[in-house]
Amino acid sequence: MTRIVRTVAELREQVRAWKAAGEQVGLIPTMGALHDGHLSLVRLAQTKVKRTVASVFVNPKQFAPHEDFDAYPRGETRDAQLLESAGCDLLFAPNAAEMYPQGFSTTINLTGVSEPLEGAARPQFFGGVATVVTKLLIQAEPDIAVFGEKDYQQLQVIRRVTRDLDLPVEIVGAPTARAEDGLALSSRNAYLSTEERAAAVALPNAMKAAIAAVQAGERVETAEAAGKAALEAAGFRQVDYFDFRDADDLSRLGPDALPSGARPRLLAAAWLGKTRLIDNMGA
Amino acid sequence: MTRIVRTVAELREQVRAWKAAGEQVGLIPTMGALHDGHLSLVRLAQTKVKRTVASVFVNPKQFAPHEDFDAYPRGETRDAQLLESAGCDLLFAPNAAEMYPQGFSTTINLTGVSEPLEGAARPQFFGGVATVVTKLLIQAEPDIAVFGEKDYQQLQVIRRVTRDLDLPVEIVGAPTARAEDGLALSSRNAYLSTEERAAAVALPNAMKAAIAAVQAGERVETAEAAGKAALEAAGFRQVDYFDFRDADDLSRLGPDALPSGARPRLLAAAWLGKTRLIDNMGA
């Protein structure tokens, strides 16, 4: 069975033992509710290092009071079984008191890449993400850490904070795992009703159409407007953003046609009923 | 000679080589302009670990625009000679581009212990300190790091951020080194004129008198007021604070006589001409 540890001391002892034996270690930080997307991160790590550690921690600091912290899906037994099936060596599952002991008072804040998109929609989010991921990287001392491109802005924030704080770890981005119809896998997909799940495919479809349009020379703002209209027509009740951005620093592209040499990435967030879906694609 | 390195890569290579050879490493972060106080930190580290690394970096992020960043005393040759005389093994002297490369956008912020006293007088200060010290601890990967009690609130901030981020290092506080007349050693003492240097002794004397008074049962606010009056009478033009505080969380004590079981620390900051002096003592 995949071994489960709950304290930083146990985690560090195991990782240091592996490293002392010359085995490299990869960390896959998660909030649990694991699906094939997470398991693809474990498998990618296994191609690069000998030992893999998944962490499961639903981080209260990255949820605002009105968000879905209490409702966020949890199920450690199933998570542990899935990690076992993927050959993951260790599950680190701390409780909140282990991560944020009495008197905890430190926050890691970023400017720049953290500010637009998710940062604008969820002001507390990336401070919470940067703080907990930095802690996990310091706790586990891995050689590599794997994050899904599904949360693309988060990946860029983590790359930035890792570089800025000189953390001795390689950050690896993994391609987004998708259902057969193209919907990005997400723990929050569990919130969708049958009808909503059927409508959700409009999100990747609208994104593919917008990318094809700008690649054919369409103006960026025209493609973005068409994408938003397609989502609303498919039953999405609100589109938070549907933006072509620079793939590196997430600065805005457009409104005109893309110049040659641009490195566009299309990022979108939209609400289907009570569920907020996000996705992104290279263009 | 004490070897000088300027890059994180060289620093880490040397420290890892020592650790691989079973030698523990102590870091002494400084802003240069070294004096006997700094050397006492090196000597304390040498009683605990085999290898010592001093860093010299005048950190722009902990100075406000109107403060003395440009005037802050610098002199690497003399610093290196002093470290050599103390038997320090390595001097890490990065430039600003090595510490804060293009696009740097991360800040570590604390609430609580960072807020009163120096935090109130210098709003940017502890964010800058916490960020650079965290970077140095991650860069150097020392077993211990030694900081002077002279900057007592800074020491408490560093203890807090180290615990909060799970940095695998022991933070060691070292007693304040003092001149024969009792003035705490400080690089900023170099700013004092001969007359100001003579008057400066009023600071430790007023502190000792206030401590003696509260130990004899005097009310805290009476002892604090007497201390401020003594400083003003001695020629200090402004007293930023002269406060009895809890030694651990720096919460305010008084106004009445101290209860038994209190862990008081007296902290003071006051201006003599253009120079701001700080000091603190256990009580």
Side-chain angles (χ1 to χ4, degrees):
Chain A
M1 268 299 283
T2 301
R3 182 179 168 214
I4 304 178
V5 296
R6 303 198 184 276
T7 66
V8 175
E10 291 168 293
L11 169 67
R12 223 173 237 161
E13 186 183 8
Q14 176 63 83
V15 170
R16 289 183 177 180
W18 283 330
K19 290 170 96 171
E23 298 175 344
Q24 287 198 303
V25 178
L27 177 69
I28 300 95
T30 83
M31 296 209 304
L34 301 183
H35 50 65
D36 282 345
H38 299 102
L39 301 185
S40 75
L41 307 183
V42 175
R43 290 190 199 101
L44 178 60
Q46 287 165 338
T47 68
K48 296 176 178 278
V49 294
K50 170 86 172 167
R51 297 292 184 176
T52 52
V53 180
S55 64
V56 170
F57 182 63
V58 185
N59 176 30
K61 291 197 188 295
Q62 70 193 63
F63 289 79
H66 64 278
E67 291 183 338
D68 59 348
F69 175 70
D70 290 330
Y72 197 86
R74 291 167 174 86
E76 184 177 287
T77 305
R78 185 171 167 283
D79 288 343
Q81 286 165 350
L82 288 169
L83 291 170
E84 170 73 15
S85 74
C88 183
D89 296 291
L90 188 69
L91 168 54
F92 175 50
N95 63 19
E98 180 73 6
M99 288 302 273
Y100 301 117
Q102 179 80 27
F104 187 91
S105 46
T106 300
T107 305
I108 297 179
N109 289 308
L110 270 78
T111 53
V113 71
S114 66
E115 291 176 84
L117 305 172
E118 293 302 295
R122 309 174 67 190
Q124 300 185 260
F125 181 61
F126 285 121
V129 168
T131 303
V132 78
V133 170
T134 298
K135 279 177 64 76
L136 287 165
L137 294 174
I138 291 171
Q139 290 167 344
E141 302 174 338
D143 298 288
I144 70 168
V146 184
F147 297 84
E149 287 185 351
K150 163 72 162 45
D151 297 297
Y152 187 82
Q153 188 178 11
Q154 170 177 285
L155 173 61
Q156 296 304 94
V157 165
I158 290 165
R159 287 190 197 282
R160 183 77 251 170
V161 74
T162 299
R163 207 176 312 145
D164 284 356
L165 295 182
D166 311 286
L167 290 162
V169 60
E170 180 195 349
I171 303 298
V172 176
T176 301
R178 295 181 182 279
E180 267 190 37
D181 66 355
L183 181 67
L185 299 189
S186 166
S187 303
R188 289 193 171 94
N189 293 354
Y191 299 155
L192 299 173
S193 70
T194 310
E195 295 73 22
E196 289 169 341
R197 175 62 189 81
V201 70
L203 181 58
N205 286 346
M207 296 177 73
K208 283 181 252 176
I211 289 167
V214 299
Q215 284 175 340
E218 180 63 273
R219 300 183 75 240
V220 167
E221 69 175 358
T222 307
E224 291 174 347
K228 287 179 195 178
L231 292 179
E232 284 160 9
F236 281 78
R237 70 172 168 83
Q238 183 184 315
V239 181
D240 283 349
Y241 55 83
F242 189 98
D243 287 6
F244 285 92
R245 298 260 172 177
D246 178 83
D248 187 36
D249 67 12
L250 299 183
S251 60
R252 197 73 192 260
L253 300 179
D256 300 327
L258 291 175
S260 68
R263 287 190 33 184
R265 189 130 194 138
L266 175 59
L267 299 101
W271 291 84
L272 201 52
K274 293 181 176 176
T275 306
R276 187 171 180 276
L277 299 178
I278 68 171
D279 199 353
N280 70 92
M281 296 180 185
Chain B
M1 266 301 283
T2 300
R3 183 181 167 212
I4 303 179
V5 296
R6 303 197 183 277
T7 66
V8 176
E10 292 168 292
L11 169 66
R12 224 173 236 163
E13 187 184 6
Q14 177 62 83
V15 170
R16 288 183 177 181
W18 282 330
K19 290 169 97 170
E23 297 174 344
Q24 286 198 301
V25 178
L27 177 70
I28 301 95
T30 83
M31 296 209 303
L34 301 183
H35 50 64
D36 282 343
H38 299 104
L39 301 185
S40 74
L41 307 183
V42 175
R43 291 190 197 102
L44 178 60
Q46 287 165 338
T47 67
K48 295 175 178 282
V49 294
K50 170 87 171 170
R51 296 293 185 177
T52 52
V53 180
S55 64
V56 170
F57 181 63
V58 185
N59 176 32
K61 291 198 189 292
Q62 70 194 63
F63 289 78
H66 64 278
E67 291 182 337
D68 59 346
F69 175 70
D70 290 330
Y72 197 87
R74 291 169 174 84
E76 185 178 285
T77 305
R78 187 172 164 282
D79 288 343
Q81 287 166 347
L82 288 170
L83 291 170
E84 169 73 14
S85 73
C88 184
D89 297 290
L90 189 69
L91 167 55
F92 176 51
N95 64 21
E98 179 72 6
M99 288 301 274
Y100 301 117
Q102 180 79 29
F104 187 91
S105 47
T106 300
T107 306
I108 296 179
N109 288 309
L110 270 79
T111 53
V113 70
S114 66
E115 292 176 84
L117 306 171
E118 292 303 294
R122 308 175 68 189
Q124 301 185 259
F125 181 62
F126 285 121
V129 167
T131 303
V132 79
V133 170
T134 298
K135 280 177 64 73
L136 287 165
L137 294 174
I138 291 172
Q139 291 167 344
E141 302 174 339
D143 298 286
I144 70 169
V146 184
F147 296 85
E149 287 185 350
K150 163 71 162 46
D151 296 298
Y152 188 82
Q153 188 179 11
Q154 169 177 285
L155 173 61
Q156 296 305 93
V157 165
I158 290 164
R159 288 190 196 282
R160 182 79 250 171
V161 74
T162 299
R163 207 176 312 148
D164 284 355
L165 295 182
D166 310 285
L167 290 162
V169 61
E170 179 195 348
I171 303 298
V172 177
T176 300
R178 296 181 180 278
E180 267 191 36
D181 66 354
L183 181 67
L185 298 189
S186 166
S187 303
R188 289 191 170 97
N189 293 353
Y191 299 156
L192 298 172
S193 68
T194 308
E195 293 72 20
E196 288 169 342
R197 175 62 188 83
V201 70
L203 180 57
N205 286 345
M207 296 176 74
K208 282 181 253 178
I211 289 167
V214 299
Q215 285 176 339
E218 180 63 273
R219 301 183 75 238
V220 167
E221 70 175 359
T222 307
E224 290 174 348
K228 287 180 193 175
L231 292 179
E232 285 159 7
F236 282 79
R237 71 172 169 82
Q238 184 184 314
V239 181
D240 284 349
Y241 54 83
F242 189 98
D243 287 5
F244 283 93
R245 298 258 172 179
D246 179 83
D248 188 36
D249 67 13
L250 299 182
S251 60
R252 196 73 190 262
L253 300 180
D256 300 327
L258 290 176
S260 69
R263 286 191 33 184
R265 189 127 194 140
L266 175 59
L267 298 102
W271 292 83
L272 200 52
K274 293 181 176 174
T275 306
R276 186 172 181 275
L277 299 178
I278 67 172
D279 199 352
N280 69 91
M281 296 180 186

